[in-house]
């Protein structure tokens, strides 16, 4: 009886401890110097630009999610911050994640060299590394909850990070991506959400499947047939048998190269809700 009670007590305590041990960054507890504005950082002698967005009423003792949002070719960090008309093929501000995040996330919006993510010699992955270092020294981040998303070239950059920084990134959401920023490493599992249009005229559907299949394999998932997307209606497959903590979700639609594809009868694009649902399934480790 007493041992049972004790066991219950220990269990209760350990679950308390595991919720509290949110791998907080060094910036937790500090008064932040970073605010929601534009910054510069020198990477390998090149001046790089990025924007930050902190949650409302930032709490220096709360470990937040850290979400990187990478722009498309010809886009810019500024355009991700401001958003572009989703009815004209643009992406919503911060890929539409802010309203879903309910102030639980810090957003980072890097700006590309030549408006893209060529990642020459790994310089854009280094940019990511240095941003993580700088941000987490100053802000309170849950270091087990870093995420990356982007459309097109921004999806390629998220994929490059999943390949090169699997231990640092909990999950990626790749919207209409292809392998354009390289894949250094690429042997470890990372939770992977991908979506792509079967009529993509810029980066064809095979390119999106190629990225997905890398993580279906790395995550140890069973292969699955393609979901059947009807005209104007996306379809998804949640892969089975993946290693615990490393799911793969694939959403297929019949549209073109578009970050803001909607299902018939819906007023909002589905990428933001899907990506947020995918990211927010992960708890602190
Ligand atoms: C938003 O976050 C607050 C504070 O953490 C919480 O109390 C509230 O329930 C959340 N709202 C939703 C809709 O999840
Ligand atoms: C997709 O594009 C690649 C590269 O341009 C090409 O090799 C491949 O044949 C294309 N696949 C389809 C299904 O169009």
């Amino acid at each position: 009886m007493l041992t049972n009670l004790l066991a219950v007590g220990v269990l209760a305590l350990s679950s308390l401890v595991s919720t509290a041990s949110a791998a907080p960054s060094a910036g937790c507890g500090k008064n932040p110097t970073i605010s929601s504005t534009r910054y510069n950082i020198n990477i390998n002698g090149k001046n790089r630009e990025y924007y930050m967005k902190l949650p409302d009423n930032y709490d220096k003792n709360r470990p937040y999610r850290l979400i990187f949002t990478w722009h498309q070719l010809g886009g810019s960090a500024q355009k991700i911050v401001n958003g572009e008309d989703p009815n004209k093929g643009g992406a919503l501000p911060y890929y539409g994640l802010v309203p879903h995040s309910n102030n639980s996330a810090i957003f980072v919006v890097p700006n590309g060299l030549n408006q893209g993510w060529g990642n020459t010699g790994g310089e854009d992955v280094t940019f990511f590394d240095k941003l993580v270092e700088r941000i987490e020294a100053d802000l309170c981040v849950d270091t087990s909850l870093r995420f990356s998303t982007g459309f097109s070239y921004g999806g390629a950059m998220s994929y490059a990070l999943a390949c090169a920084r699997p231990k640092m990134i909990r999950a990626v959401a790749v919207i209409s991506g292809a392998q354009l920023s390289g894949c250094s490493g690429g042997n470890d599992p990372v939770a992977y959400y991908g979506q792509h249009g079967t009529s993509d005229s810029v980066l064809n559907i095979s390119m999106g499947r190629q990225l997905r299949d890398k993580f279906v394999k790395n995550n140890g998932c069973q292969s699955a047939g393609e979901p059947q997307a009807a005209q104007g209606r996306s379809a998804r497959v949640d892969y089975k048998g993946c290693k615990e903590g490393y799911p793969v979700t694939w959403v297929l639609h019949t549209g073109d190269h578009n970050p803001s594809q909607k299902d018939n009868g819906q007023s909002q694009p589905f990428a933001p809700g899907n990506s947020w649902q995918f990211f927010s399934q992960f708890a602190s480790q």
Side-chain angles (χ1 to χ4, degrees):
M1 181 64 185
L2 186 62
T3 32
N4 276 350
L5 269 178
L6 211 62
V8 168
V10 168
L11 260 179
L13 193 67
S14 64
S15 66
L16 249 182
V17 169
S18 76
T19 353
S21 68
S25 64
C28 293
K30 290 187 187 167
N31 290 322
T33 66
I34 293 175
S35 60
S36 298
T37 186
R38 186 173 70 86
Y39 291 95
N40 293 284
I41 188 170
N42 187 295
I43 306 294
N44 300 341
K46 293 180 187 171
N47 177 47
R48 306 300 302 264
E49 190 186 27
Y50 64 101
Y51 289 76
M52 295 294 305
K53 178 171 174 55
L54 273 58
D56 297 339
N57 305 314
Y58 172 80
D59 174 354
K60 66 182 180 183
N61 295 312
R62 173 179 176 186
Y64 289 96
R65 296 182 173 94
L66 186 65
I67 303 180
F68 282 79
T69 55
W70 308 86
H71 63 74
Q72 67 183 90
L73 181 63
S76 67
Q78 179 81 70
K79 286 177 181 170
I80 293 294
V81 168
N82 294 345
E84 296 189 283
D85 188 347
N87 296 316
K88 292 181 180 151
L92 292 166
Y94 306 92
Y95 288 110
L97 294 174
V98 173
H100 292 282
S101 73
N102 185 25
N103 291 312
S104 70
I106 295 165
F107 289 88
V108 192
V109 193
N111 199 37
L113 296 171
N114 306 312
Q115 300 184 298
W117 306 105
N119 192 27
T120 309
E123 65 183 341
D124 292 321
V125 172
T126 303
F127 186 17
F128 165 81
D129 289 341
K130 297 292 180 194
L131 288 177
V132 168
E133 202 176 293
R134 179 186 273 195
I135 292 162
E136 293 185 3
D138 195 73
L139 297 177
C140 192
V141 171
D142 184 330
T143 61
S144 71
L145 295 177
R146 302 188 194 100
F147 302 94
S148 178
T149 188
F151 165 66
S152 196
Y153 222 150
M157 187 58 204
S158 296
Y159 176 78
L161 288 176
C163 290
R165 294 293 180 265
K167 303 281 188 289
M168 293 177 73
I169 293 276
R170 189 64 174 271
V172 295
V174 174
I175 316 298
S176 311
Q179 188 172 317
L180 307 171
S181 306
C183 175
S184 161
N187 301 310
D188 295 305
V190 173
Y192 191 91
Y193 171 91
Q195 75 168 60
H196 216 106
T198 53
S199 308
D200 197 312
S201 57
V202 179
L203 302 174
N204 70 37
I205 182 71
S206 320
M207 296 167 156
R209 288 181 177 136
Q210 183 197 346
L211 307 192
R212 173 203 66 188
D213 288 345
K214 161 79 81 184
F215 287 95
V216 167
K217 175 170 173 283
N218 290 359
N219 298 7
C221 315
Q222 294 163 17
S223 58
E226 286 291 332
Q228 295 302 311
Q231 196 61 40
R233 186 94 217 146
S234 61
R236 68 186 278 159
V237 54
D238 297 303
Y239 280 75
K240 297 210 187 335
C242 309
K243 290 175 193 161
E244 171 127 31
Y246 299 101
V248 174
T249 292
W250 173 245
V251 169
L252 197 65
H253 61 81
T254 57
D256 200 341
H257 198 59
N258 179 9
S260 295
Q261 187 74 23
K262 296 175 193 169
D263 282 327
N264 278 345
Q266 298 296 314
S267 61
Q268 293 298 315
F270 50 74
N274 283 355
S275 308
W276 181 257
Q277 185 189 39
F278 194 77
F279 288 170
S280 62
Q281 73 183 296
F282 300 104
S284 287
Q285 272 184 341

